[in-house]
Amino acid sequence: MNGARLLIFVGALALGFTSCKRPEAPRRDVMMEAIESLAEVVDAPMAHAKQVYDRYCSVCHGLEGKGDGFNAYNLDPKPRNFTDSSFVARVDSGLIVETITKGGGAIGLSPVMPPWGRTLSESDIAAVALYVRRLAQSRAGLEHP
Amino acid sequence: MQRAIHLSGIVLLVSFVTILMDDFNQEWKQIQTRFAHIEENRYHSTSESDISFNSGIAQIVVEGLGKIDRCPTCHLGVDDIKYRNAEPPFQTHPGQLLETHKSKDFGCSACHLGQGYAVSYDKAAHRKLEFWNETMWPRPLMQASCGTCHRSREVSEAPLLTGGRLLISEKGCTGCHDIDEFFEEGNRGPNLDGIGNKVSEGWLYAWLKNPRDYLKASRMPSYRLTDPEILDIVSFLLSLDGKSDPPHAVTAQSSNPGRPDSGAVLVSESRCISCHTIHGRGGRLAPELDRIGDKVRREWLPNFLRNVHYYQPEKRMLEYNFTDRNALDIAAYLMDEFSEGAYVLPDEGDVALAPKSLSRKEEQLKRGLKLFVKHGCGGCHSVGTQIKPPKVGPKLSNIGNRLESVLDFGSRRDIRPTLYNWLFMKLKQADVFDSSAAMPNYYLTDEEAFEITVALLGNKENQYATEYLVSEAQNSVYKKPSGEFGELFERYSCISCHSIDRYGGTLSTVPLTMEGSKVKFEWLRHYLIKPFALRPVLTERMPRFRMTEREASLMADYIKRVYVSDEIPRFFELELKPEEVALGRQLFRSLECVNCHIADGAGGYVGPELDNTGNRLEAGWAFKWLLDPLKYKPETIHPDFGFTELEARQLTAYLMTKRRDHR
């Protein structure tokens, strides 16, 4: 008799446990996880700036801003290396915008850098200037910890 | 009784006070009080009453979009640049978008979604809530909203949306799904009539099994077919009759089997690599050729090379002026060099393809046809003269309105059930939720699947009044040229690479719209006969068509007469004065044009070499180009130096003196 009661008790206990579901695991946001590594694509203004930079600037300054574009060999003085730490420390966005807009010749540097003020819009130039700074900071940060 | 009345009185009083307190403590009122005290307002105002906003609920009503947005109740600085560094929610709207989409005309929730009518953070649905479709977009998906109104393939300010739409077109989604009229175009895949004369059964089997085994960048997706299914389809495809008597039939004879070495020379000379990839190098316009020898039949290739447009009228490939001998040589070279071993049918495959009785064969063909129809092959491939079959996939023009509560995630309980996750995962792997799904696998990268998802999410029908919709610009006035020029233009497939009035290919950097006003007749005639690289760094070069003298003269003449612009002065060269040359040379040196162009034998490879400009360009074109390069070629990277007319004249005069004797 006692044995039967014990059996019922244990059975009820087991039933109780099964109904205590584990709390559900948090649901995954699959797409958001997948695009985390695509920051440059997702950040629309930066992606646009990169497009403009790659198209107009990388020919001489290189895709990574190291001053090593395919046309660099032909130029004297050599194109600016944006990842040079002295450049990052010295130059502000205003000057970058001015250089891009008016060209090197107009601000006392070499005329090898042409003026882009009549080719690119003001907002494109501002975006590229920001991109150049970001390029400079991130790459310089990597190379000079 | 009295007690009850007392008690209810107290309850009433308490609830009245609670309601008052609640109203007084409303989120938006607290936020407006906070706004009065932010830095930007403290400096500009002396007393609290001086602050320049109307307290209370603010709302924007946009009838055409069906929106009543109360967002400005809390987002008090969106329109005012003064608040660009203010703390949230008061900061200025980032970017320049509000310049063209004024908040009073467009409101907020048409782009951001969410519940514009609500005035608390939670009720306005700032965050994604499960099964609630109209919650605000997470930032990466914002561009989906652009797509709801902008019904054109390219939307310049929305690169993700544009990327997605271009992918939809490139991957051929419209073969099975109705998406939008601006995606509609001809068949994505080749016509399949006579496919058995073209390729081997072994290749056909391997291709249907997994197209990417043969072609890494294949546009054809993988259909997850079983071996018997594949053999049924192969049998059906082999039964399709094709054209069999080309105008220039070529047959290999024992005396002339084709010489691979001269084939190799022809392949390199014809610049096949401009469009085809060979050993990892070359263009992407046409299929890779690395294993072409394992794919096509030896008898078919020379015939195709001689009769490209006869076999495939839709083909964008040009028809070279090859002789029979040329075609045999090229075929010999490709068949021998571009092979890694023939494709073979699986065990018993050949037995299965040739059933003993006629009735069995008929059944097999029927099964093959049924599979062909079921999988919607006709969406991309035409067969016979049949009209376009109905599309087998669901319409996607309203997919953005699909309720999240009806999405089928199969047994996947670990996924956040949002529309974007559902689309993204299905795009990545079509059978992820349902192993019997009809959609094939496309092997998209995360980036590709994400961009297509963004493009699809904005597809909402009847959402907004028509005056808000921006359709594809009618910017093409292209008409197929007619007459003998038209025939040549077609045979050499000029429009596959060059564009005219923004219609056509983009492989060439030279649109033909004003080519007649740009280059000189003699130069053009020579160039057509024997093209050379003006920009040696480009892989894509003009192929050598083996054009005859007569053809070249005819084409050059037509281009000089028809593809012209009235704005380019015709006899400008005669107006230039000799003394302008020296000044032009000075200017040319001080601007250091050689940084990008080759002149006097040295310089950069960014722009075209200039040592033969006097023979190549019309002076009027050079003059106009220097004044405003972007006008004549919007995609140019030539900087606009802002020359005066005098400077442009001087430079032109100098450039016109640069001539080489030959050509």
Side-chain angles (χ1 to χ4, degrees), chain B residues 553-610:
Chain B
S553 297
L554 190 140
M555 291 195 85
D557 186 56
Y558 186 95
I559 290 172
K560 283 297 293 177
R561 284 170 201 276
V562 177
Y563 295 135
V564 292
S565 159
D566 296 340
E567 290 174 24
I568 313 282
R570 289 187 64 193
F571 303 105
F572 192 73
E573 199 160 356
L574 305 173
E575 299 171 20
L576 297 168
K577 300 183 195 86
E579 58 269 29
E580 289 178 318
V581 173
L583 292 165
R585 183 187 293 120
Q586 259 176 31
L587 199 54
F588 190 84
R589 294 214 172 125
S590 68
L591 287 168
E592 305 194 19
C593 303
V594 286
N595 286 331
C596 291
H597 295 278
I598 291 175
D600 300 324
Y605 288 101
V606 183
E609 70 105 304
L610 298 177

Side-chain angles (χ1 to χ4, degrees), chain B residues 216-489:
Chain B
K216 263 219 153 58
S218 159
R219 276 213 301 243
M220 170 128 157
S222 165
Y223 280 86
R224 307 184 297 273
L225 300 164
T226 62
D227 273 3
E229 284 177 328
I230 295 178
L231 289 171
D232 287 345
I233 299 178
V234 169
S235 161
F236 166 70
L237 290 176
L238 293 178
S239 74
L240 298 169
D241 286 333
K243 301 175 174 176
S244 52
D245 46 350
H248 308 286
V250 190
T251 27
Q253 272 127 24
S254 54
S255 61
N256 182 18
R259 295 169 316 174
D261 48 341
S262 60
V265 174
L266 282 164
V267 164
S268 125
E269 203 180 77
S270 308
R271 297 296 306 173
C272 304
I273 200 168
S274 282
C275 296
H276 293 277
T277 314
I278 298 177
H279 301 318
R281 289 182 57 232
R284 292 187 42 186
L285 203 62
E288 185 180 276
L289 294 180
D290 286 10
R291 290 192 74 181
I292 191 75
D294 303 331
K295 173 185 176 182
V296 300
R297 293 185 189 274
R298 194 173 274 270
E299 326 70 85
W300 176 84
L301 191 51
N303 275 298
F304 174 72
L305 288 167
R306 283 286 271 126
N307 307 280
V308 175
H309 293 157
Y310 167 80
Y311 282 110
Q312 289 174 346
E314 301 168 19
K315 212 50 172 184
R316 290 185 297 172
M317 178 162 155
L318 64 99
E319 206 170 278
Y320 289 89
N321 259 351
F322 290 136
T323 60
D324 288 2
R325 199 186 179 102
N326 292 152
L328 286 167
D329 289 351
I330 295 175
Y333 170 62
L334 292 177
M335 294 304 292
D336 293 346
E337 285 291 315
F338 295 78
S339 159
E340 290 173 19
Y343 286 102
V344 285
L345 290 169
D347 286 346
E348 309 284 312
D350 38 352
V351 181
L353 280 183
K356 291 228 167 66
S357 74
L358 206 62
S359 62
R360 283 236 178 125
K361 184 74 193 172
E362 263 171 26
E363 274 168 34
Q364 189 180 46
L365 292 179
K366 262 189 204 155
R367 286 197 305 269
L369 171 64
K370 216 169 146 190
L371 284 163
F372 188 87
V373 173
K374 177 186 159 197
H375 291 287
C377 308
C380 292
H381 299 279
S382 62
V383 172
T385 49
Q386 64 161 1
I387 39 167
K388 209 119 185 72
K391 298 188 175 181
V392 293
K395 242 176 109 168
L396 297 180
S397 49
N398 196 27
I399 184 79
N401 277 329
R402 178 78 64 91
L403 290 177
E404 295 190 338
S405 50
V406 304
L407 297 176
D408 178 10
F409 281 86
S411 57
R412 298 293 297 268
R413 294 282 154 80
D414 56 327
I415 314 288
R416 209 167 174 204
T418 62
L419 181 57
Y420 62 78
N421 277 336
W422 188 77
L423 286 171
F424 179 80
M425 292 179 73
K426 277 199 68 119
L427 283 162
K428 285 282 290 180
Q429 191 197 333
D431 57 343
V432 62
F433 303 126
D434 173 9
S435 58
S436 66
M439 179 163 151
N441 282 345
Y442 280 84
Y443 305 101
L444 302 171
T445 63
D446 283 350
E447 189 178 337
E448 289 172 330
F450 167 62
E451 290 188 347
I452 297 179
T453 304
V454 170
L456 290 177
L457 284 172
N459 282 356
K460 298 178 177 181
E461 280 175 350
N462 307 325
Q463 190 83 358
Y464 302 132
T466 44
E467 69 256 32
Y468 282 88
L469 306 184
V470 186
S471 307
E472 184 94 330
Q474 291 286 326
N475 53 8
S476 176
V477 287
Y478 174 73
K479 280 199 196 80
K480 255 188 188 174
S482 54
E484 204 175 338
F485 175 81
E487 276 168 32
L488 291 170
F489 197 79

Side-chain angles (χ1 to χ4, degrees), chain B residues 73-258:
Chain B
T73 307
C74 295
H75 294 279
L76 286 151
V78 273
D79 280 325
D80 192 342
I81 192 72
K82 186 169 85 190
Y83 300 105
R84 65 183 176 280
N85 295 319
E87 58 187 273
F90 309 124
Q91 76 278 45
T92 319
H93 194 282
Q96 278 95 35
L97 203 67
L98 289 201
E99 285 169 22
T100 45
H101 298 69
K102 295 218 170 3
S103 61
K104 69 175 169 55
D105 300 330
F106 290 86
C108 309
S109 62
C111 300
H112 290 273
L113 268 59
Q115 302 295 320
Y117 202 59
V119 283
S120 80
Y121 184 84
D122 286 331
K123 285 180 186 157
H126 282 75
R127 278 174 305 186
K128 184 77 204 157
L129 301 165
E130 250 170 51
F131 304 124
W132 203 359
N133 266 39
E134 292 279 303
T135 54
M136 276 177 65
W137 283 132
R139 189 178 295 246
L141 295 174
M142 277 300 307
Q143 291 174 29
S145 290
C146 308
T148 309
C149 293
H150 290 266
R151 312 304 305 154
S152 58
R153 211 177 260 253
E154 291 182 39
V155 183
S156 58
E157 301 291 317
L160 292 175
L161 171 71
T162 304
R165 286 190 172 161
L166 293 179
L167 279 166
I168 285 175
S169 161
E170 189 185 308
K171 300 287 172 191
C173 307
T174 47
C176 292
H177 300 280
D178 264 324
I179 303 186
D180 251 306
E181 68 280 7
F182 57 83
F183 286 117
E184 288 309 323
E185 48 200 331
N187 292 315
R188 310 295 307 174
N191 174 293
L192 296 178
D193 292 334
I195 183 84
N197 302 333
K198 175 183 173 185
V199 302
S200 69
E201 303 98 2
W203 178 85
L204 208 48
Y205 167 81
W207 176 255
L208 286 164
K209 185 107 184 147
N210 183 11
R212 287 160 64 88
D213 265 355
Y214 172 74
L215 198 64
K216 263 219 153 58
S218 159
R219 276 213 301 243
M220 170 128 157
S222 165
Y223 280 86
R224 307 184 297 273
L225 300 164
T226 62
D227 273 3
E229 284 177 328
I230 295 178
L231 289 171
D232 287 345
I233 299 178
V234 169
S235 161
F236 166 70
L237 290 176
L238 293 178
S239 74
L240 298 169
D241 286 333
K243 301 175 174 176
S244 52
D245 46 350
H248 308 286
V250 190
T251 27
Q253 272 127 24
S254 54
S255 61
N256 182 18

Side-chain angles (χ1 to χ4, degrees), chain A residues 27-32 34-35 38 41-42 44 55-56 59 70-71 73-75 111-112 114-116 118-119 123, chain B residues 96 130 138 140-141 143 160 413-417 420-421 424 592 594-595 603-606 635 637 639-640 642:
Chain A
R27 293 179 168 188
R28 289 176 50 211
D29 216 348
V30 180
M31 192 187 80
M32 292 302 171
I35 60 171
L38 304 173
V41 182
V42 178
R55 181 168 179 77
Y56 292 93
V59 177
F70 87 81
N71 195 40
Y73 80 97
N74 179 45
L75 305 178
V112 174
W116 295 100
R118 304 171 62 93
T119 305
S123 63
Chain B
Q96 278 95 35
E130 250 170 51
L141 295 174
Q143 291 174 29
L160 292 175
R413 294 282 154 80
D414 56 327
I415 314 288
R416 209 167 174 204
Y420 62 78
N421 277 336
F424 179 80
E592 305 194 19
V594 286
N595 286 331
Y605 288 101
V606 183
E635 65 280 9
I637 65 165
D640 180 347

Side-chain angles (χ1 to χ4, degrees), chain B residues 528-546:
Chain B
L528 287 169
I529 294 170
K530 200 174 172 201
F532 57 94
L534 270 162
R535 286 187 174 79
V537 288
L538 299 180
T539 315
E540 296 84 10
R541 295 190 199 166
M542 177 107 149
R544 193 171 160 194
F545 304 106
R546 316 178 80 74

